[in-house]
Amino acid sequence: MRSIATLVPLLSLLLALAFAVDSAVGETEAASSAQRGYELLTTKAYLPPRLNQALFDQLWKSWEPVPRESAAKASEAERMQMAFHRYGFTSPPAGKPAADGGQVQYVVDQRGNWTMNCMACHQGEVAGRVIPGVPNTRFAMQTFSEDIRQTRLLLDQRLRGEDLGSMIFPMGGSNGTTNAVMFGVVLKHYRDADLNLRPDRSKPQLTHHDMDAPAWWHFKKKTRLYADGFAPKSVRALMPFLLVEQNGPEQFRQWEADFEHIYTYLESLEAPAYPFEIDRRLAGVGEALFVNHCADCHGTYGTEETYPEKIIPLAKIGTDPVRLRALTVENRRDYAASWFAAKDAEQDAVVVDPGGYLAPPLDGVWASAPYFHNGSVPTLWHVLYPDERPKVWRRSTDEEQPKSEFDQRDGYDRTRVGLAVRAFERGPGLLTAGSVKRQYFDTTKFGKSAAGHTFPDELNDEEKRAVLEYLKTL
């Protein structure tokens, strides 16, 4: 008979093997759930269809004269690519399937119906590369809506409710931004706490403004969501934008299980590594400066990462105040009392008056340009040089930007780290087509200021250069 001393190591080994098996099973289940989450996002329609393939194929007939003439001479496949570029549609990340037509921003069913999904704002391209969870900085939601409306009229088709709604409700003043916060306010305003429709309610107070989508790979680090961090992270917190009239309370309860998989998918995303050359010596200098000047708000990175998840008071951060004030205390209280925040005592965690903005994590920051909650700053260099931020800027194209001004023709500025842009003193004239105007970001407009976050002024030029190099490594 074996002694206790002999059995102890054997038992320890068996326990370790059991733990390893459980861990491996858990990882496999999480990977399967994440895959299911991606499939649901890209193949299941949670909203009514916006248009069908037949109408999409005719949209080019409503474009401005020059692109319309080019489209008329192009093949069907070329017109499709022209449309994708105009509206900011992208192919899926490597190894992921696409909807019919090769894009992931809309679910396209077997009957050719197009339904917008979360990828419209949260799946884009950087430096010619599609990156999972990167913000879609080219999504032209307002232009797409206008072209749909104009094409319906051109084809003598009846306008639908959303066509009329987009005439008075702004979708986004600049490509890559949306009026997402006010979408949420309107949708929730006409529901009670249990999500039953209340169409008899008076009109809500709305402050229209543009927002830049956050990087999805930061989701795993956060316990709070949105630019002001007012809402606790949860499965239900991902669902408010489904509150269209056609979706009743029963759909939300059924779909909660779907969004558990979508939640897992978001948690699975990793920040992308900077794909270009890095001066490691200079980055090492920058790391020490970052720890001393930036880590208190943005956390530390490497083997022992930290993220303080601080809400910085508006008076201290100094960035555009419109987003913070647009979502009122009453709006946040309404959310806190609703089904979205009612599970697991989350209602008590809603911050009804945050007073500032949440300092985000910075891993993968090289890929998440433009910067600030409203997308007003095109590069990290401009973040570090507040006085040099352009008043009006537009993303560069091959024809507009001389080759010497940036390194590659993929729209990415490797020197300043961010979008390759041209700067202007003023925006386009009043007679300029809306689709062209939205290619410009005018920081003098309401809610679009690039002011604030002047903390880098504490650093000299050499120190800023070192910090910029370090940010590439995150």
Side-chain angles (χ1 to χ4, degrees), residues 12 21 24 28 42 57-58 78 83 89 93 135 207 245 353 377 455:
S12 298
V21 170
T28 300
T42 54
D57 291 341
Q58 300 296 316
E78 290 169 336
F89 298 160
T207 305
E245 184 178 359
D353 190 10
V377 181
F455 311 118

Side-chain angles (χ1 to χ4, degrees), residues 31 81 114 146 178 267 284 416:
Q81 291 306 310
W114 283 55
E146 289 179 358
T178 65
E267 289 265 301
R416 293 187 170 184

Side-chain angles (χ1 to χ4, degrees), residues 171-465:
M171 302 287 110
S174 301
N175 292 350
T177 65
T178 65
N179 190 16
V181 176
M182 291 301 101
F183 296 165
V185 169
V186 169
L187 294 172
K188 181 63 189 72
H189 179 78
Y190 292 106
R191 302 281 182 144
D192 65 17
D194 293 320
L195 308 187
N196 297 298
L197 276 169
R198 290 292 181 264
D200 56 330
R201 289 183 174 176
S202 60
K203 293 182 179 179
Q205 174 186 333
L206 299 176
T207 305
H208 297 303
H209 63 285
D210 293 338
M211 283 290 296
D212 183 42
W216 264 354
W217 57 79
H218 290 158
F219 184 79
K220 68 169 61 179
K221 283 192 170 184
K222 295 180 178 180
T223 64
R224 317 199 62 77
L225 301 180
Y226 301 114
D228 56 9
F230 91 93
K233 184 173 77 172
S234 70
V235 171
R236 292 182 179 183
L238 302 177
M239 302 176 70
F241 292 101
L242 306 183
L243 279 171
V244 294
E245 184 178 359
Q246 293 87 339
N247 293 338
E250 62 282 357
Q251 272 84 28
F252 282 83
R253 286 157 179 77
Q254 292 170 8
W255 290 340
E256 187 173 4
D258 286 359
F259 275 79
E260 289 175 358
H261 294 298
I262 292 170
Y263 185 103
T264 305
Y265 170 68
L266 299 184
E267 289 265 301
S268 74
L269 295 176
E270 299 287 347
Y274 187 73
F276 309 116
E277 185 177 348
I278 298 174
D279 183 334
R280 294 290 173 178
R281 184 202 63 78
L282 186 61
V285 176
E287 180 177 10
L289 291 164
F290 181 90
V291 169
N292 289 333
H293 293 273
C294 313
D296 187 52
C297 293
H298 292 291
T300 58
Y301 302 84
T303 55
E304 296 182 5
E305 293 193 359
T306 63
Y307 175 51
E309 204 166 18
K310 284 186 177 180
I311 295 176
I312 313 302
L314 183 61
K316 183 176 181 180
I317 190 67
T319 49
D320 193 292
V322 171
R323 159 62 182 84
L324 181 65
R325 296 168 181 168
L327 196 61
T328 65
V329 170
E330 290 72 24
N331 296 148
R332 296 187 184 94
R333 283 177 177 158
D334 187 43
Y335 179 89
S338 75
W339 179 84
F340 297 114
K343 192 175 182 181
D344 301 327
E346 288 164 357
Q347 179 173 345
D348 296 334
V350 173
V351 180
V352 298
D353 190 10
Y357 292 116
L358 186 68
L362 297 183
D363 40 340
V365 68
W366 70 271
S368 60
Y371 302 102
F372 294 3
H373 66 273
N374 58 3
S376 58
V377 181
T379 73
L380 286 175
W381 185 90
H382 289 108
V383 172
L384 294 171
Y385 285 88
D387 292 339
E388 300 296 327
R389 294 169 191 166
K391 185 182 295 184
V392 180
W393 54 268
R394 180 184 183 183
R395 295 180 73 143
S396 300
T397 65
D398 291 357
E399 293 77 21
E400 295 169 335
Q401 189 83 339
K403 187 173 181 179
S404 60
E405 292 189 28
F406 67 107
D407 304 301
Q408 299 291 328
R409 297 305 178 87
D410 54 17
Y412 191 80
D413 189 329
R414 291 148 175 72
T415 302
R416 293 187 170 184
V417 188
L419 305 181
V421 301
R422 290 185 67 197
F424 303 86
E425 279 301 310
R426 60 180 62 86
L430 293 175
L431 299 180
T432 305
S435 61
V436 176
K437 282 184 179 180
R438 286 184 284 275
Q439 295 175 16
Y440 293 80
F441 196 106
D442 188 342
T443 67
T444 68
K445 300 296 185 182
F446 182 76
K448 302 176 82 70
S449 171
H453 195 279
T454 58
F455 311 118
D457 286 344
E458 299 174 359
L459 306 174
N460 62 37
D461 288 345
E462 287 301 309
E463 289 171 332
K464 289 180 180 180
R465 192 164 71 89

